[in-house]
Amino acid sequence: KGATAPVAPGTRGIVTEAVRALTRHMFSNFDVCRIYSTVLEENPASVRVLVGSSFFPAAWLHFAAGGSP
């Protein structure tokens, strides 16, 4: 399972901002037309980060118990 850490005061949203900045950098500096990511459905925080960064679900992938992407 993924790792979690306590939220430090004043850091809420910092990962979303980092993903937004990296996405802007990629589109501005490289010849890319699409960026994609995979997220396990049991990690809703990661889903929120991507949705908050203007990513959207293109497909839902399901894996058998104990499987991996």
Side-chain angles (χ1 to χ4, degrees), residues 16-37:
T16 300
E17 266 311 305
V19 171
R20 287 177 183 166
L22 180 60
T23 302
R24 280 191 305 270
H25 176 75
M26 294 298 294
F27 281 120
S28 296
N29 295 288
F30 299 95
D31 186 24
V32 296
C33 61
R34 181 179 304 172
I35 299 172
Y36 73 94
S37 176

Side-chain angles (χ1 to χ4, degrees), residues 26-67:
M26 294 298 294
F27 281 120
S28 296
N29 295 288
F30 299 95
D31 186 24
V32 296
C33 61
R34 181 179 304 172
I35 299 172
Y36 73 94
S37 176
T38 57
V39 179
L40 297 175
E41 65 181 307
E42 58 267 4
N43 190 344
S46 291
V47 174
R48 286 191 302 272
V49 166
L50 292 175
V51 170
S53 301
S54 300
F55 283 71
F56 65 92
W60 295 106
L61 304 175
H62 299 278
F63 298 98

